[in-house]
Amino acid sequence: MTGAVSTGETGIGGILLWIVLPYLVLVVFVLGHVWRYRYDKFGWTTRSSQLYENRLLRIGSPLFHFGILLVLVGHIGGLLIPKGWTEAAGISEHTYHVTAVVLGTFAGICTLGGIAVLIYRRRTVGPVFSATTRNDKFMYLSLTVTIVLGLAATVAANVVGGGYDYRETISPWFRSLSYLSPDPALMTEAPVLFQLHALSALLLFAIWPFTRLVHMLTAPLGYLTRPYIVYRSRDTGLGSRAPRRGWERTGAGRG
C-alpha cells in the first residue's frame, strides 16, 4: 500500500474529501459519543413512539432493522476483507460479485422500504409527528439519502451497467485509512455515485452521536446482572389493617 499521495497528484479537493474529512468524522464520532454519554445519559434512547401507534411500526421497524443488518454485514465483508482472502478461501470473483449484488440489492430494498414506512408513520400519525424533532427530521433525511445513493450505485453499476468492482478502489482506500497511509487517488477513480454514497455516509456518521442513532451502539447487558425490582405499596397503613373476614359457614360459632 502506498503512502499518502501528494497534493499535486490528486488536487486539494481530493486531499480534503478523502483524507481530512474521514479522520475529522472519526474524531467527531468518537468524542461525540463520549460527550453524549457523559452529559446526556438520559437522552441516550430511541425515544420510542410505540405507545402512539403500533400497526405501522410493526411493519416498518422489523423491515428496516433486518435490511440495515444485512447492509452492515455486506459492508463489513466488502470493505474490511481483502479480495485476496476470499479468493484464497475458494470463492471466485464471479461468485462473490453475484452474491454481493443480489444480497446488497435485496438488503437495500428492505431498508428503503422499512424507512419509507417509518417516515410515512411519523408524517401521518399526529402524536408521532408532534414528537418528531428537527434533529429527527435531519437524521431521517441523511439516513434516507445514504440508503438511496448506496442502492442507486449498486443498481447503476452492477445491474444496469457493465459491473464495477469496488474492492479494487473503495475497499483499499477504506483500509488505507486504518493504516494511517490513506490513498485518495483510489477514491477519485471510483464512479460518482459511489463517491456521493461515501460522502453521505461520512455525514451520517458525523451527526450520529447527536441523534437517536446512538441506541444502536448500546447493548442492554445490565439486564443480565441487575437485581430484581422490588415494588412496594405507597399505602403506609397497609400493614396495620386487620385482615378482611372471609366466607363463614352459616351459624358458625353458635351453640
Side-chain angles (χ1 to χ4, degrees):
M1 180 66 64
T2 59
V5 297
S6 65
T7 305
E9 295 179 25
T10 58
I12 187 64
I15 298 295
L16 292 176
L17 289 178
W18 310 120
I19 296 181
V20 177
L21 183 59
Y23 287 124
L24 181 62
V25 168
L26 178 62
V27 172
V28 173
F29 184 83
V30 174
L31 296 184
H33 279 91
V34 173
W35 174 87
R36 181 78 181 271
Y37 186 78
R38 184 172 181 179
Y39 295 103
D40 189 29
K41 287 184 179 180
F42 290 105
W44 194 292
T45 174
T46 61
R47 297 196 301 274
S48 176
S49 58
Q50 185 176 2
L51 292 177
Y52 300 135
E53 195 280 334
N54 193 37
R55 183 177 62 86
L56 290 174
L57 185 64
R58 286 186 297 177
I59 299 174
S61 183
L63 188 61
F64 170 77
H65 285 90
F66 172 75
I68 204 68
L69 181 61
L70 287 181
V71 169
L72 179 62
V73 171
H75 277 69
I76 291 176
L79 295 176
L80 299 182
I81 300 178
K83 186 176 181 179
W85 290 18
T86 56
E87 292 178 348
I91 303 175
S92 66
E93 174 58 27
H94 176 73
T95 300
Y96 179 90
H97 179 76
V98 172
T99 304
V101 171
V102 172
L103 290 181
T105 303
F106 174 72
I109 293 175
C110 289
T111 308
L112 187 59
I115 199 172
V117 173
L118 294 176
I119 292 176
Y120 173 80
R121 172 179 176 269
R122 285 200 167 269
R123 186 64 185 86
T124 59
V125 179
V128 180
F129 181 73
S130 299
T132 303
T133 64
R134 293 182 179 179
N135 183 294
D136 294 331
K137 295 176 182 178
F138 186 65
M139 181 272 295
Y140 273 109
L141 176 62
S142 301
L143 188 57
T144 303
V145 169
T146 303
I147 295 169
V148 169
L149 286 174
L151 184 59
T154 300
V155 173
N158 298 294
V159 179
V160 180
Y164 174 69
D165 188 3
Y166 65 91
R167 295 199 296 170
E168 295 286 350
T169 54
I170 301 176
S171 297
W173 165 78
F174 184 82
R175 292 194 298 271
S176 72
L177 294 173
S178 64
Y179 304 150
L180 300 181
S181 182
D183 189 353
L186 293 171
M187 281 301 298
T188 58
E189 298 172 2
V192 175
L193 279 177
F194 282 90
Q195 294 184 17
L196 293 176
H197 176 56
L199 291 174
S200 65
L202 289 174
L203 172 62
L204 182 63
F205 279 103
I207 68 171
W208 188 302
F210 314 104
T211 67
R212 64 174 62 203
L213 292 175
V214 293
H215 80 278
M216 296 181 65
L217 300 181
T218 303
L221 299 179
Y223 285 99
L224 300 177
T225 58
R226 76 177 188 179
Y228 291 106
I229 298 177
V230 179
Y231 292 93
R232 292 185 173 90
S233 173
R234 298 180 63 182
D235 190 344
T236 56
L238 182 62
S240 60
R241 289 182 179 177
R244 293 184 178 181
R245 297 178 62 183
W247 289 99
E248 295 182 356
R249 188 174 55 183
T250 304
R254 296 181 180 179

